[in-house]
Amino acid sequence: MWFEFTPDDSLPDGQYSLVVVANSNVGVSQAVVDFVVDTQAPTIAIEPQKPYSPRAPATIRWSASDEASPNLRTISCDLYDSNNKLITTIATSDSLSKGDNFFTLDPSTLSPLPPDGNYKIKIKAYDLAGNVAIAEQPITIDSTPPVVSGIDVSPSPMTSKTTELGLAARVNERSTVIIK
């Protein structure tokens, strides 16, 4: 036998128990089935990304939560260009716990290496009910080293009587400058 029941009104999200009772001339039997109604997508957030230099791996930190599911079913992290074209899948995971997590952007997975420019990291997370959430964060790929120019040392020439040295230089992008 097959029975189907549809409530008059949609059930709100939450946990429910369904009790099925069968009664016949030889006795009564029952079964309890627990189920969850989950119509809400998980929430997901990605930390802002620093410019990425493909010389070393970068950590992509993100967090997720879901009211009804104890775990997330499937998560993918992808790199897209500025026209929303998929460049590569950075990582995927099945059955990941909610909360703070991370993926690693490894330069060895970027073959060929995308040209310098602006990109997007997108993380897509599905909960156990199949609801999906997508978050994205811009990232700049910069594989070109900074250029130091306009170096000026004063006084020039230096003498044994000079007590101070002046140095002026320009760098074409935000950088850490070390003087040795």
Side-chain angles (χ1 to χ4, degrees):
M1 293 183 136
W2 176 257
F3 294 95
E4 187 174 308
F5 171 74
T6 304
D8 294 333
D9 295 321
S10 296
L11 295 173
D13 284 11
Q15 294 185 349
Y16 295 89
S17 294
L18 179 66
V19 179
V20 178
V21 179
N23 191 359
S24 74
N25 61 346
V26 292
V28 177
S29 177
Q30 76 176 24
V32 177
V33 177
D34 294 325
F35 65 95
V36 174
V37 174
D38 179 7
T39 61
Q40 300 299 311
T43 58
I44 189 166
I46 307 171
E47 286 185 7
Q49 300 298 301
K50 294 179 181 176
Y52 172 66
S53 173
R55 292 187 182 102
T59 301
I60 301 164
R61 298 187 188 286
W62 59 277
S63 62
S65 65
D66 190 76
E67 294 297 319
S69 296
N71 292 320
L72 298 171
R73 185 180 69 198
T74 305
I75 302 92
S76 65
C77 180
D78 300 309
L79 180 67
Y80 287 82
D81 69 12
S82 58
N83 295 318
N84 226 23
K85 179 183 173 198
L86 177 65
I87 300 298
T88 189
T89 296
I90 296 168
T92 60
S93 181
D94 292 330
S95 190
L96 199 63
S97 63
K98 299 180 296 186
D100 294 335
N101 290 284
F102 69 92
F103 289 122
T104 301
L105 176 56
D106 188 336
S108 67
T109 65
L110 299 175
S111 181
L113 195 65
D116 288 1
N118 296 318
Y119 295 84
K120 295 179 212 172
I121 291 176
K122 287 188 183 182
I123 296 180
K124 187 185 294 187
Y126 290 89
D127 66 13
L128 296 178
N131 301 309
V132 63
I134 300 172
E136 66 180 56
Q137 194 65 244
I139 187 169
T140 300
I141 293 180
D142 181 6
S143 60
T144 306
V147 176
V148 178
S149 62
I151 299 173
D152 184 36
V153 177
S154 63
S156 181
M158 290 187 61
T159 66
S160 61
K161 299 197 185 319
T162 305
T163 57
E164 290 186 18
L165 172 66
L167 173 69
R170 285 182 271 307
V171 181
N172 70 334
E173 63 184 53
R174 187 177 187 139
S175 307
T176 300
V177 177
I178 299 171
I179 301 171
K180 291 184 178 183

